[in-house]
Amino acid sequence: MCIRDRRLEDPVITSDVIEAHGLSLEEYNQILKLLDRSPSFTELGIFSAMWNEHCSYKSSKKWLRTLPVSGPQVICGPGENAGIVDIGDGQAVVFKMESHNHPSYIEPYQGAATGMGGILRDVFTMGARPIAAMNSLSFGQILHPKTKALVAGVVSGIGGYGNCFGVPTIGGEVRFDSAYDGNCLVNAFAAGLVDTNKIFYSAASGVGMPVVYLGAKTGRDGVGGATMASAEFDEAIEEKRPTVQVGDPFTEKRLMEATLELMSTGAVISIQDMGAAGLTCSAVEMGDKGNLGIQLDLEQVPTREPNMTAYEMMLSESQERMLMVLDPGKETEAKAVFEKWDLDFAIIGKTISRDRFVVFYNGKLKADLPLKALSGAAPEYDRPWIETVKRNLLGDIPNIDPIEGLKKLIESPNYASKQWVYEQYDSQVMADTIKPSGLGAGIVRVHGTNKALAFTSDVTPRYVFANPFEGGKQAVAEAYRNLTSVGAVPLAITDNLNFGNPEKPEIMGQLVGSIKGISEAVQKLNMPVVSGNVSLYNETDGISILPTPTVGAIGLISKSTNAITGLPCEGHSALLIGKTFGHLGQSALLKEFFNRQDGDAPHVDLNAEKMNGDFILENKDLIISCNDLSDGGLALAAFKLCESADIGVSLNVEGIPELFGEDQARYLISCNFDQAETLLSKAAEANVPAKCIGTFGGTNVCFGNYSVDMYSMSNIYRSSFQSSVT
């Protein structure tokens, strides 16, 4: 179906046209009842944009409402462009994570780049200046013919946009699994700082107020992008390339500076980023939140291509654009700001009292729709779901040389050093980065204060696949540990729920189970969900991705000098905090060494997580370095810690379950002998499991009687990822 030919602006709406817009016949019949007439082609496009999964959350709304979203630290929870959490002293952090999965698979560089651009706009739209970015990337198996090109394109797209914009990328993760062969995941995170009395929201207010278009011009790139993002892939995927937007980070930088300057003038009543579904979604959401109608006059929209139709302008997802409701008395002042930054400023409509979304183009009525029905009253489904059958049985695991087990892990692109990735990202721009990517959570100073913020992104998809409830809990628990291990008090999370087709009960069961697990964990660990995104229909030819509910989390360090950022030194004691049971089900060793994925996911004792995390925070002055235990268990955690310090380690442990088991609520600590004695005494008083399991130092990695030169292992660890993906 061609939408660029003006002759086809108003084609006959057939069942094929309806299907091409991602609407079911039942939904189309609902539209007919709402309007009491047939929609125009432009109106059909508007409904398609607003009623798709990406914008309406129609399959997940019911369950998203069950997530804990409030707390004394929460200023703004889900529903706005991003969540906001109070960090004291009249300051707040604004943050969110969103997916750009489908676009990144179709056009890796631009898909990933515009994902970065979109999440940054979500942050500065609320008045915050971005201070940190992260990303969580999932790709297919290395030997798949598309994987290397996807990795190269996505990584360069993230780096190209983020580096040019000028925001440090300080954390993230990269994984590979055959389940992502036909559908990679690109989850982008951004956080920014704002004064609590300078926060801006998107709800329109006041009747007859001018609706103003800001930023770059509108083109045909991205038309139908939101609808595409809510559909499965098939053999026709290449035909969807025109639905991917094209980004310009330098324009985005100017847009941010202009927007923040404009906000300081008092001219902004409300403001909204133009992201998915472009002008349609931003206008509708502003009106819906403010209980107002919106009238647009499209001939006023700045365009960069001739002869654009109303349909194209309403559905374009061209980047670097904003929509604002303006104080009419400050129009001249506001326009001057955007002209100074060489950006478009155009009054394209007004707020109206009626519940209508009215669109004119060159004096002709192109759409006249009930606005609430497009947003707040969009379809909502209670999809059938079945609980995932637990994989309780774990077959016998042969005994192996633990050094060979460790070597197998660090040879894998899943666990080898990701320096090839994060070295392409500028982690030091803005000069406030304390701890960049590489080991645990990233840390950024709160500029001009003694405070710092820690950021992490975590999920273990194979756990979620085996046991969605425990896998959801574990994603939150690991994020919690990554924050506490650097001395940060966890504050809140944003989630990016990536799943397959929700119309399949088993997939919907994965989503429901994960949300239940996340809910229980954030409640217990005092980390409410303040923002997020749901990405469904991540399937190709009926094959689903692994369920991947990514958790992005932030924590506060009241004094940046108290952050745990040290490294082990010669003679340091190695202390293990937490109980070891030797859980090998769904473990990294099982997958990488034996090519097996059996057994249950490790169960998460949230009481133990809270107790052990509190112990770390209460005694951080006694801790030199700290790393949580997750994938690869004690063996991998110990290796990463000593490898980062360029020294060896000797552990008095050699059993496979003890070394590679992935029991939760555990930390590995390095400290001097006196500190170790004090910590062990305090742990006994607090009933926290703790023991000394060895020492750091020398030039070998020793597990009991098994030993290997650390430097040879370091070479494997540092080179394996790059050699795999290039």
Side-chain angles (χ1 to χ4, degrees), residues 198-487:
K198 296 178 181 177
I199 298 168
F200 286 82
Y201 298 99
S202 60
S205 64
V207 176
M209 297 297 174
V211 175
V212 182
Y213 175 113
L214 307 169
K217 288 180 168 55
T218 294
R220 292 187 171 96
D221 54 317
V223 174
T227 301
M228 176 273 294
S230 304
E232 295 181 30
F233 284 157
D234 54 30
E235 69 278 357
I237 182 175
E238 292 299 323
E239 297 174 8
K240 297 173 181 175
R241 193 174 298 275
T243 64
V244 180
Q245 315 94 318
V246 178
D248 177 359
F250 299 107
T251 299
E252 178 113 333
K253 175 68 172 176
R254 289 186 288 122
L255 179 62
M256 179 189 71
E257 297 296 348
T259 300
L260 295 179
E261 184 176 337
L262 180 65
M263 288 170 170
S264 68
T265 69
V268 179
I269 295 175
S270 61
I271 190 164
Q272 177 78 24
D273 156 48
M274 285 197 221
L279 182 56
T280 291
C281 190
S282 56
V284 169
E285 288 191 355
M286 289 176 76
D288 181 49
K289 292 173 184 175
N291 291 311
L292 291 169
I294 300 286
Q295 178 178 311
L296 300 179
D297 299 299
L298 297 185
E299 64 270 17
Q300 304 302 323
V301 173
T303 58
R304 65 169 185 260
E305 297 183 48
N307 301 321
M308 289 189 70
T309 66
Y311 179 102
E312 290 169 329
M313 281 190 272
M314 293 305 298
L315 298 188
S316 168
E317 295 183 10
S318 296
Q319 296 292 286
E320 294 86 41
R321 302 181 301 158
M322 313 278 272
L323 198 66
M324 173 183 71
V325 176
L326 172 72
D327 180 343
K330 297 189 177 181
E331 178 188 333
T332 301
E333 188 177 0
K335 186 175 183 180
V337 170
F338 272 74
E339 287 180 343
K340 182 184 80 171
W341 288 98
D342 194 25
L343 294 165
D344 279 296
F345 177 101
I347 297 175
I348 65 167
K350 62 182 179 182
T351 59
I352 58 178
S353 60
R354 298 177 298 129
D355 175 32
R356 305 302 295 180
F357 187 44
V358 184
V359 180
F360 288 95
Y361 190 30
N362 293 327
K364 295 181 179 179
L365 182 65
K366 294 296 181 180
D368 185 359
L369 303 169
L371 190 144
K372 284 285 186 185
L374 293 168
S375 184
E380 181 177 332
Y381 297 122
D382 185 6
R383 302 279 193 196
W385 61 279
I386 55 176
E387 189 169 345
T388 301
V389 178
K390 308 296 189 299
R391 300 186 170 195
N392 292 318
L393 294 177
L394 177 64
D396 292 337
I397 300 172
N399 197 35
I400 61 169
D401 182 327
I403 299 299
E404 291 303 311
L406 176 62
K407 183 179 179 182
K408 194 71 172 179
L409 290 183
I410 63 176
E411 286 178 335
S412 165
N414 281 311
Y415 305 108
S417 169
K418 306 302 189 301
Q419 67 188 76
W420 181 86
V421 175
Y422 59 73
E423 285 179 355
Q424 296 185 54
Y425 307 148
D426 190 339
S427 64
Q428 300 299 327
V429 64
M430 302 178 77
D432 279 317
T433 301
I434 296 174
K435 182 177 179 294
S437 302
L439 190 68
I443 307 174
V444 173
R445 293 183 195 87
V446 178
H447 194 78
T449 75
N450 292 322
K451 298 179 293 193
L453 289 165
F455 303 94
T456 184
S457 170
D458 300 283
V459 67
T460 309
R462 65 180 184 276
Y463 290 173
V464 187
F465 183 73
N467 189 329
F469 178 71
E470 292 296 334
K473 283 166 64 179
Q474 192 276 338
V476 177
E478 185 174 348
Y480 173 85
R481 293 197 301 274
N482 277 331
L483 295 175
T484 54
S485 67
V486 298

Side-chain angles (χ1 to χ4, degrees), residues 429-554:
V429 64
M430 302 178 77
D432 279 317
T433 301
I434 296 174
K435 182 177 179 294
S437 302
L439 190 68
I443 307 174
V444 173
R445 293 183 195 87
V446 178
H447 194 78
T449 75
N450 292 322
K451 298 179 293 193
L453 289 165
F455 303 94
T456 184
S457 170
D458 300 283
V459 67
T460 309
R462 65 180 184 276
Y463 290 173
V464 187
F465 183 73
N467 189 329
F469 178 71
E470 292 296 334
K473 283 166 64 179
Q474 192 276 338
V476 177
E478 185 174 348
Y480 173 85
R481 293 197 301 274
N482 277 331
L483 295 175
T484 54
S485 67
V486 298
V489 177
L491 291 180
I493 75 164
T494 179
D495 55 15
N496 202 148
L497 308 178
N498 308 272
F499 292 84
N501 185 345
E503 297 169 46
K504 298 177 180 178
E506 65 274 15
I507 300 296
M508 194 65 203
Q510 294 173 349
L511 175 62
V512 172
S514 298
I515 290 175
K516 287 182 176 183
I518 291 169
S519 294
E520 186 168 306
V522 299
Q523 187 77 40
K524 181 66 181 180
L525 301 176
N526 301 319
M527 300 169 70
V529 183
V530 299
S531 60
N533 172 246
V534 180
S535 176
L536 303 178
Y537 295 96
N538 289 289
E539 297 193 1
T540 299
D541 295 326
I543 300 173
S544 174
I545 62 164
L546 288 175
T548 311
T550 309
V551 169
I554 68 164

Side-chain angles (χ1 to χ4, degrees), residues 16-94:
D16 289 341
V17 172
I18 295 166
E19 184 181 358
H21 281 77
L23 294 165
S24 68
L25 289 178
E26 290 78 12
E27 289 169 339
Y28 183 72
N29 287 329
Q30 189 175 340
I31 293 169
L32 295 179
K33 289 179 182 178
L34 277 168
L35 301 182
D36 197 26
R37 60 175 173 82
S38 297
S40 69
F41 188 61
T42 299
E43 290 175 329
L44 182 71
I46 291 171
F47 272 108
S48 168
M50 294 305 302
W51 283 15
N52 62 64
E53 287 284 354
H54 196 76
C55 294
S56 74
Y57 297 91
K58 58 190 177 185
S59 295
S60 55
K61 271 184 188 176
K62 172 182 174 175
W63 296 101
L64 295 177
R65 293 191 189 100
T66 66
L67 289 167
V69 298
S70 60
Q73 70 273 46
V74 178
I75 295 175
C76 176
E80 273 291 340
N81 288 292
I84 309 177
V85 172
D86 196 325
I87 59 170
D89 306 309
Q91 293 180 301
V93 60
V94 179

